[in-house]
Amino acid sequence: MAALRAVVSTGTGRTLLAAPKAVHSSRASMSFSSLSRGKKVALSTLGVLAAGGAGLALALQQSVKASDLELHPPSYPWSHAGILSSLDHASIRRGYQVYKQVCSACHSMEYLAFRNLVGVSHTEAEVKTLAEEIEVVDGPDDTGEMFTRPGKLSDYFPKPYPNSEAARAANNGALPPDLSYIVNARHGGEDYVFSLLTGYCDPPAGVQVREGLYYNPYFPGQAIGMGPPIYNEVLEYDDDGTPATMSQVAKDVCTFLRWAAEPEHDQRKRMGLKLILGAAILTPLVYYMKRHRWSVLKSRKIAYRPPK
C-alpha cells in the first residue's frame, strides 16, 4: 500500500508540474499572425475606430477652444529673455514712473517697499525723496493717538483703496489685482501684460460688449472692466527724454513688473554664468581623473577563492 501511494503521489505531482508547462506553451504560441483572417480584420477595424474617435475628440476640443475667440499673446523679443541677459535698469526706472503716474491709481503693489528700489533704478537719496512724498498713518504715540508722518525707506508702496470692498465699489464690482507678482501669476508673463495693455480694439461683427466693459481679445472672456490705461504721450519721462509712445510705455512697465516679480533675476543669471565657467574648468579635470587615474581600479578583477 505504501508503494502504491508513493506511485500515485509521484504521478500526480508529475501531472501537476507538467500542466503549467502545457498552458505556458499554448499561450506563448499565440500571436497576431496566427489569428484567422476574420479576427485580424476585426482587430484592425477596432484599432482604426479607436484612433479615429480619439482624433475626433481632440478636434472637437480644439474647435470649442477656437469658438471662444481665445487669443494667445505672441512672444516678444525682450532684452532680458536670453540665458545670460540682464534686465534693462533704465527701463525699470521708467516703468516705475509709469506705475506711479498711471497704474497706482487703481492697482496696488503691497509686497514692494521703497527700499527695494535702491541700487536698482534709483539712488538712496532719490528713493528717500520718493518715500517722503506720501503720508503714512503710524502710531500710537505716547498719548495713544495715531499720527501721520512722511514715508520712509522701510514703508511699502501705498494702496489706492483701504480695502477690497472699497476697490470693488470704485470699479463697478471689479477688483483690480495686485501687481507685485502679476507677471508670474499670468500665463504668458510679460508677453500677456504687454499684449493686454496694447490690445484694446473695437469688437468684431456680431460680438456685443456690455456697457461699462471694453473689448480686449487677450483678456479671458474678451470683456474687461479696465479701460485703456495707456496711449501715446500719456506721460512725459523725467530723465532720458525717451518718447512715451504706447509700445514704449507698455514695454517699460512690463520690464518693471518683471523685476518686481523676480528681483533676483540678474543675480540668478550671474550665478548661473559662474556655475557654467566652473563646470567648464572642472569637467576636463574630472574626465582625466576618471579615464586615467581610476583606470587601474576599473580594470581590476576580484576573484574569490574559498578556503579548502
Side-chain angles (χ1 to χ4, degrees), residues 79-101:
S79 59
H80 56 268
I83 299 178
L84 301 177
S85 301
S86 63
L87 290 167
D88 184 356
H89 289 253
S91 182
I92 295 175
R93 183 185 180 95
R94 295 192 298 267
Y96 169 74
Q97 183 180 350
V98 176
Y99 167 76
K100 179 182 177 182
Q101 298 185 12

Side-chain angles (χ1 to χ4, degrees), residues 18-159:
K21 293 183 179 179
V23 174
H24 179 70
S25 61
S26 62
R27 289 179 181 177
S29 61
M30 294 179 63
S31 62
F32 184 79
S33 59
S34 63
L35 298 177
S36 62
R37 181 180 180 84
K39 291 183 178 180
K40 289 181 180 179
V41 173
L43 290 177
S44 300
T45 305
L46 182 61
V48 171
L49 291 177
L56 179 61
L58 180 61
L60 289 175
Q61 182 183 8
Q62 296 297 330
S63 64
V64 170
K65 284 185 176 180
S67 65
D68 291 337
L69 299 177
E70 182 179 356
L71 187 60
H72 294 278
S75 179
Y76 293 101
W78 298 96
S79 59
H80 56 268
I83 299 178
L84 301 177
S85 301
S86 63
L87 290 167
D88 184 356
H89 289 253
S91 182
I92 295 175
R93 183 185 180 95
R94 295 192 298 267
Y96 169 74
Q97 183 180 350
V98 176
Y99 167 76
K100 179 182 177 182
Q101 298 185 12
V102 179
C103 307
S104 63
C106 299
H107 296 274
S108 62
M109 296 191 74
E110 58 180 334
Y111 300 106
L112 202 66
F114 286 100
R115 64 174 180 268
N116 300 129
L117 299 174
V118 178
V120 177
S121 58
H122 299 74
T123 63
E124 183 176 353
E126 290 174 336
V127 177
K128 285 183 178 180
T129 303
L130 293 174
E132 290 173 354
E133 293 177 358
I134 66 172
E135 291 186 352
V136 180
V137 178
D138 204 347
D141 55 10
D142 296 338
T143 61
E145 299 293 334
M146 303 298 290
F147 62 94
T148 59
R149 60 167 176 80
K152 301 184 296 185
L153 290 178
S154 58
D155 291 325
Y156 287 83
F157 287 2
K159 298 180 181 180

Side-chain angles (χ1 to χ4, degrees), residues 9-307:
S9 62
T10 305
T12 305
R14 290 177 180 176
T15 303
L16 292 174
L17 292 174
K21 293 183 179 179
V23 174
H24 179 70
S25 61
S26 62
R27 289 179 181 177
S29 61
M30 294 179 63
S31 62
F32 184 79
S33 59
S34 63
L35 298 177
S36 62
R37 181 180 180 84
K39 291 183 178 180
K40 289 181 180 179
V41 173
L43 290 177
S44 300
T45 305
L46 182 61
V48 171
L49 291 177
L56 179 61
L58 180 61
L60 289 175
Q61 182 183 8
Q62 296 297 330
S63 64
V64 170
K65 284 185 176 180
S67 65
D68 291 337
L69 299 177
E70 182 179 356
L71 187 60
H72 294 278
S75 179
Y76 293 101
W78 298 96
S79 59
H80 56 268
I83 299 178
L84 301 177
S85 301
S86 63
L87 290 167
D88 184 356
H89 289 253
S91 182
I92 295 175
R93 183 185 180 95
R94 295 192 298 267
Y96 169 74
Q97 183 180 350
V98 176
Y99 167 76
K100 179 182 177 182
Q101 298 185 12
V102 179
C103 307
S104 63
C106 299
H107 296 274
S108 62
M109 296 191 74
E110 58 180 334
Y111 300 106
L112 202 66
F114 286 100
R115 64 174 180 268
N116 300 129
L117 299 174
V118 178
V120 177
S121 58
H122 299 74
T123 63
E124 183 176 353
E126 290 174 336
V127 177
K128 285 183 178 180
T129 303
L130 293 174
E132 290 173 354
E133 293 177 358
I134 66 172
E135 291 186 352
V136 180
V137 178
D138 204 347
D141 55 10
D142 296 338
T143 61
E145 299 293 334
M146 303 298 290
F147 62 94
T148 59
R149 60 167 176 80
K152 301 184 296 185
L153 290 178
S154 58
D155 291 325
Y156 287 83
F157 287 2
K159 298 180 181 180
Y161 305 103
N163 50 60
S164 59
E165 286 73 15
R168 293 181 186 275
N171 293 276
N172 297 324
L175 179 63
D178 185 84
L179 300 183
S180 301
Y181 300 101
I182 194 67
V183 171
N184 289 340
R186 295 294 184 267
H187 177 70
E190 52 264 54
D191 291 331
Y192 167 77
V193 178
F194 183 90
S195 300
L196 181 71
L197 293 176
T198 59
Y200 287 87
C201 61
D202 295 330
V207 177
Q208 298 292 331
V209 179
R210 184 165 55 88
E211 184 179 359
L213 299 180
Y214 302 87
Y215 181 79
N216 194 314
Y218 297 100
F219 186 76
Q222 290 78 51
I224 184 173
M226 178 181 68
I230 60 174
Y231 47 87
N232 291 329
E233 306 299 333
V234 66
L235 52 83
E236 184 178 353
Y237 287 126
D238 296 334
D239 301 326
D240 52 6
T242 302
T245 60
M246 176 187 290
S247 58
Q248 183 66 46
V249 171
K251 180 257 184 185
D252 291 336
V253 74
C254 288
T255 305
F256 171 73
L257 294 177
R258 165 54 64 188
W259 166 80
E262 196 176 359
E264 75 284 353
H265 180 276
D266 292 352
Q267 184 180 3
R268 173 173 55 82
K269 291 188 176 182
R270 190 181 301 113
M271 292 298 296
L273 177 59
K274 293 179 180 179
L275 180 62
I276 293 174
L277 294 178
I281 297 174
L282 291 178
T283 300
L285 179 61
V286 172
Y287 175 78
Y288 171 78
M289 294 294 294
K290 182 181 183 301
R291 182 67 180 83
H292 298 283
R293 294 297 181 181
W294 294 353
S295 59
V296 178
L297 297 176
K298 290 179 63 177
S299 60
R300 280 185 179 180
K301 179 180 179 180
I302 301 176
Y304 174 71
R305 296 178 180 179

